[in-house]
Amino acid sequence: MRFRYLSILPEWQEDFHEYQRLLARRFAVVCAVMGLIILPFFQAADLWAGLGLAEYRWDHLEWRILPMVTAVGILILRWRIPDGAWPRLMLMLYALSAMVMMTGMVAEHMVEPNGHEAFMTKGLVVIVALAAVLATAGARDLLLVYGLPLVALAFVVVRAPVTLLEIFRLLIHPLIMTVMGVVISEVLYRIRLEAFIARQTLAQSASTDVLTGLRNRRAFDSLLETEHSRCLRHGASYALIMADLDHFKQVNDTHGHDVGDEVLRELAQRLQATLRTEDELGRWGGEEFMVLLRDSHQREAGSVAEKLRRTVADVAFQTTAGSLPITTSLGVAVFDGEERASMVVRRVDLALYAAKDNGRNRYESA
């Protein structure tokens, strides 16, 4: 089940879904283990003479079977397919089964008044509160979890041989807890949402170049290491293109660093617009930019490098200092089974210097 969280940036939607899935899996496993400990304990406690519930032990077992079976199912899924999409669905099913269990037991004791109704409603308050905590997506998770069991309970209770005053006295606390549960679940959801956004913002600021909005060198290095490892494992290939503005120091010295920043921002936009969606662009440092082309070989990489060169050189850059002709030199290197990604970076760096030595406004291949 997926919801579009309007407070989350579009590029964070998948990450937030994964965060919710892992949270639901953690909750589900903990509750499953606790349920398989607590429910048999209460089943055994029914035999305690002081409670006077021995005659209901089999009736209570029938109600307790559903959450126990759900708990076993959760642990099996955690063992067999830990990365599956099941956690939130199973967590909701577990909360629903617990609500069905307690509302069923309350209804059973109210239909045949025996003095244990008040004891059962205390258990219902606990389960209502537990369901609120387990609602990882907020109040929307409680529509079914609260709604179905409580409607069924109301249908049974109005036909029970007890007065309205007695019904009110028994159910007022579970009903108050239900309202509080909706509020609690939504507050917890908002807290988790804000914590996720804060964490994502911090991670993004640590991995993003402030001026261009591209990946910074540290983030690009991490991306490159991951791609390099993938290609080593699967025998795939990738290419690197390093681009460096020609005579950029003259732009800064003549027009100032503000104009230089304008040129860098415009350059980043042009390069990004020229690349495919699956290609990666980052600011390597200063006026140097690095491109990662996945599943590319020499011919494709050279073609992309030439497109990048033209997109810079063919149209002058419009700045507050006027129209500026800008060119760039590029180096190209294709992964050739090197043990380390730094070896490919070294080759693309040498190719870039060759392009500069050979007249600039061109690309050279390693």
Side-chain angles (χ1 to χ4, degrees), residues 302-315:
S303 176
V304 173
E306 178 59 20
K307 288 181 181 179
L308 295 175
R309 186 197 67 78
R310 290 200 307 266
T311 198
V312 175
D314 289 355
V315 180

Side-chain angles (χ1 to χ4, degrees), residues 42 56 72-73 129 134 187 205 247 268 288 296 319-320 330 337 350 366:
F42 274 105
Y56 293 96
V72 171
L134 299 183
V187 169
S205 64
H247 306 297
E288 290 184 339
S296 291
T319 71
T320 54
L330 306 101
L350 292 174

Side-chain angles (χ1 to χ4, degrees), residues 67-141:
M68 291 176 67
V69 170
T70 306
V72 171
I74 288 172
L75 296 181
I76 291 175
L77 288 171
R78 176 63 181 87
W79 173 49
R80 298 297 298 272
I81 46 175
D83 296 324
W86 55 268
R88 184 162 171 266
L89 177 62
M90 291 300 294
L91 185 61
M92 291 177 62
L93 180 60
Y94 185 80
L96 177 61
S97 66
M99 282 290 297
V100 169
M101 172 189 72
M102 284 311 307
T103 53
M105 293 168 68
V106 168
E108 184 174 30
H109 284 271
M110 291 186 72
V111 169
E112 299 179 4
N114 48 34
H116 303 302
E117 307 92 88
F119 180 73
M120 294 300 159
T121 56
K122 292 177 182 177
L124 181 57
V125 170
V126 173
I127 295 299
V128 169
L130 175 64
V133 175
L134 299 183
T136 58
R140 57 178 62 84
D141 279 355

Side-chain angles (χ1 to χ4, degrees), residues 58-69:
W58 299 119
D59 294 332
H60 288 178
L61 179 61
E62 291 176 357
W63 291 114
R64 289 170 179 148
I65 282 293
L66 181 57
M68 291 176 67
V69 170

Side-chain angles (χ1 to χ4, degrees), residues 51 53 120 128 212 262 287 306:
L51 292 177
L53 295 172
M120 294 300 159
V128 169
T212 63
E262 293 176 29
E287 65 270 26
E306 178 59 20

